[in-house]
DNA sequence: TCTCCATAATTGTCAGACAAAAAGTTGACC
DNA sequence: GGTCAACTTTTTGTCTGACAATTATGGAGA
């Protein structure tokens, strides 16, 4: 399929025309849909760069503005990305980050509570730990070890410790080698863990957190699935208890000082 | 903040100008960002309708094309939606459906395997069942009961049964009253369960599936958290065993005959 | 008050324009 | 031959103005 010389690209034009003239679908959506299909089908392989707006417009028989709107759609879907400094659009697979950003706004606007996020994490994190115990490689272990070492050093710096806690759990997820697992938990974790800065600050619970991390690391590095799950269960449970002890409302929405999502 | 009479909306204009003239950010992104902030901050409340493109353009001091591109961004983020038949754009909270659509493409392009999805489900679904046992209301139970009844009627229709299976698990998730839980599992389920049409077809496992659904329903309706979790564990485990028995490769990517994602 | 129609507003699309940034080309120079 | 700077062409981001088709709105008439 040639993008450069538009003269013979009649098929696609026809497709767009048919769909858009049915008025069921605006032209920019039709274009976006066709492009998405081609990307998903591998006709436009990930890593390649998209043709220029003008050639796309020619090819589809629509105006450049229409193509641009279609591009915005695909971009937001994570199928296309423009790298800074680069001019061309690159075709990409949607990344956890973008999905995560979208889920964040969803959670914020839907008044999701800490309890709800906790329910998700208390299901996923132990499974992560267990899987990590089975699948973690040497480099994974090294990263986790390093994280624990840095946590030890930052034991009195609450905000640093929170960052490191998030990182710890992300590293576990990465060690499972399971993308789906990672994507499912990333957002929830990012929204959840910062909230417990308060808990830890009030309870001085850094040592307890570190103990759990150490135990989990040991279990994973020795391939002990059961032990990894067990300690993660406790670790997550600690959060709930800590919340109670610190007298924080577990059932309040997470709307507080949340960082504003950014547009890639 | 007045949208209609643009003459005095200088502040926003200035904001956009500063940001875009810095060249760090195209104008349409700046507009999208400002609108997103206002929505998240509740200044533009969910349910309200967005001003017309022209008044937005006036307000921000940009052209209509620019506003349109910004709108495409917000639309794809799920913060704005146009209802069919309606002309105006309504402000909305992102729904599970849209996030789910995005995750689907991510999973497809990243060659996610059945095993990986299964790992996620085997963590989340039992938790769903357990929580549902604690929180399900009468209407929730009615819906699940009805689903089971229809499944009984469709016991010989594999494709219908798959649809009903997906629905069953979605109903459980809904019964937890936990949005986060629902969003976390919806996509995974939608991608995963259809794959087992084959398994069920080969093994004639409809009865076994139905038994599990019935047991889970009973546990939930009697508030038995432990039993609900237990049967869901078995139910999910069945999938894995079924896969083995049917000699399907658990570790192959889910790229096969997947429905093409559609643009809302 | 309710219904129906003319009028106004809004959306989807297009064509053409222009400055600024990136990419591609050329040619001088080492 | 290889390198770098100047020049040209593309491409992007933005704007203006236009038009048909659809949707909203205000009144006239029942």
């Amino acid at each position: 399929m040639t993008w450069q010389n538009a003269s013979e690209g009649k098929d696609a034009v026809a497709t767009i025309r048919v769909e858009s003239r049915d008025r069921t679908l605006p032209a920019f959506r039709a274009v976006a849909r066709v492009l998405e299909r081609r990307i998903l089908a591998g006709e436009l392989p990930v890593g390649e760069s998209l043709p220029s707006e003008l050639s796309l417009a020619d090819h589809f028989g629509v105006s450049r503005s229409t193509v641009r709107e279609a591009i915005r759609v695909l971009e937001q879907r994570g199928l296309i990305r423009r790298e800074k400094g680069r001019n061309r659009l690159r075709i990409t697979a949607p990344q956890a980050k973008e999905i995560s950003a979208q889920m964040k706004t969803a959670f914020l606007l839907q008044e999701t509570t800490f309890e709800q996020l906790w329910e998700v994490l208390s299901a996923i994190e132990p499974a992560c730990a267990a899987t990590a115990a089975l699948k973690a490689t040497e480099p994974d272990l090294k990263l986790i070890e390093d994280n624990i070492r840095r946590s030890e050093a930052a034991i009195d710096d609450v905000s640093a410790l929170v960052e490191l806690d998030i990182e710890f759990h992300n590293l576990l997820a990465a060690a499972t080698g399971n993308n789906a697992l990672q994507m499912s938990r990333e957002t929830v974790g990012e929204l959840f863990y910062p909230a417990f800065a308060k808990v830890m600050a009030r309870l001085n619970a850094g040592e307890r957190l570190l103990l759990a991390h150490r135990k989990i690391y040991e279990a994973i590095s020795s391939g002990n699935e059961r032990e990894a799950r067990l300690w993660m269960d406790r670790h997550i449970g600690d959060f709930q208890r800590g919340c109670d002890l610190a007298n924080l409302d577990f059932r309040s929405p997470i709307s507080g000082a949340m960082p504003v999502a950014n547009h890639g």
Side-chain angles (χ1 to χ4, degrees), chain A:
Chain A
M1 180 125 312
T2 148
W3 301 94
Q4 288 70 26
N5 290 348
S7 31
E8 72 272 16
K10 305 271 178 180
D11 53 342
V13 179
T15 307
I16 298 296
R17 285 309 177 194
V18 165
E19 287 180 318
S20 74
R21 291 307 185 243
D22 278 351
R23 280 169 214 84
T24 62
L25 205 58
F28 73 87
R29 275 185 216 287
V31 171
R33 177 186 280 193
V34 171
L35 285 176
E36 169 167 1
R37 288 218 182 108
R38 294 209 180 137
I39 293 174
L40 289 183
E43 286 173 52
L44 299 174
V46 169
E48 292 287 292
S49 60
L50 208 65
S52 75
E53 293 170 1
L54 215 53
S55 37
L56 286 174
D58 272 2
H59 177 79
F60 286 114
V62 298
S63 78
R64 192 157 81 91
S65 338
T66 301
V67 168
R68 289 198 114 235
E69 290 192 41
I71 286 177
R72 293 290 90 78
V73 171
L74 295 178
E75 213 173 40
Q76 213 53 36
R77 287 211 150 208
L79 290 171
I80 274 175
R81 165 172 311 158
R82 66 168 13 82
E83 286 144 39
K84 61 170 185 179
R86 283 263 167 282
N87 217 355
R88 292 198 211 115
L89 288 161
R90 285 265 293 275
I91 295 161
T92 59
Q95 301 298 309
K97 261 189 191 172
E98 299 153 32
I99 292 170
S100 165
Q102 185 150 0
M103 286 185 88
K104 261 189 208 172
T105 68
F107 286 148
L108 288 178
L109 284 175
Q110 288 177 357
E111 310 252 297
T112 306
T113 65
F114 289 114
E115 183 179 33
Q116 292 177 325
L117 294 183
W118 181 85
E119 280 176 0
V120 176
L121 285 181
S122 67
I124 292 187
E125 294 286 25
C128 264
T131 307
L134 296 177
K135 307 226 173 124
T137 64
E138 264 310 313
D140 292 328
L141 291 172
K142 279 268 183 291
L143 289 172
I144 298 172
E145 208 182 315
D146 182 58
N147 171 277
I148 291 181
R149 209 165 287 138
R150 278 178 290 140
S151 299
E152 285 163 353
I155 190 75
D156 292 321
D157 179 348
V158 172
S159 79
L161 211 51
V162 170
E163 282 301 314
L164 287 163
D165 186 36
I166 295 178
E167 186 186 295
F168 176 82
H169 292 275
N170 284 340
L171 286 173
L172 286 204
T176 65
N178 184 338
N179 257 316
L181 213 46
Q182 271 175 272
M183 280 203 267
S184 298
R185 62 161 296 290
E186 178 154 320
T187 311
V188 181
E190 249 174 72
L191 284 176
F192 184 74
Y193 292 118
F196 285 91
K198 291 179 196 171
V199 176
M200 284 195 291
R202 290 207 206 175
L203 298 182
N204 212 22
E207 276 300 345
R208 191 169 171 81
L209 176 140
L210 205 46
L211 171 68
H213 283 200
R214 280 203 202 95
K215 288 287 187 182
I216 292 167
Y217 168 73
E218 280 169 27
I220 290 176
S221 69
S222 62
N224 190 333
E225 183 187 356
R226 181 177 304 252
E227 197 76 1
R229 184 189 296 272
L230 185 70
W231 274 98
M232 182 60 90
D233 262 331
R234 287 186 190 153
H235 184 38
I236 299 286
D238 274 351
F239 279 139
Q240 187 185 24
R241 275 187 293 280
C243 230
D244 287 348
L245 288 176
N247 207 22
L248 290 174
D249 188 2
F250 205 46
R251 288 181 187 75
S252 65
I254 51 167
S255 314
M258 283 291 128
V260 179
N262 60 347
H263 290 282

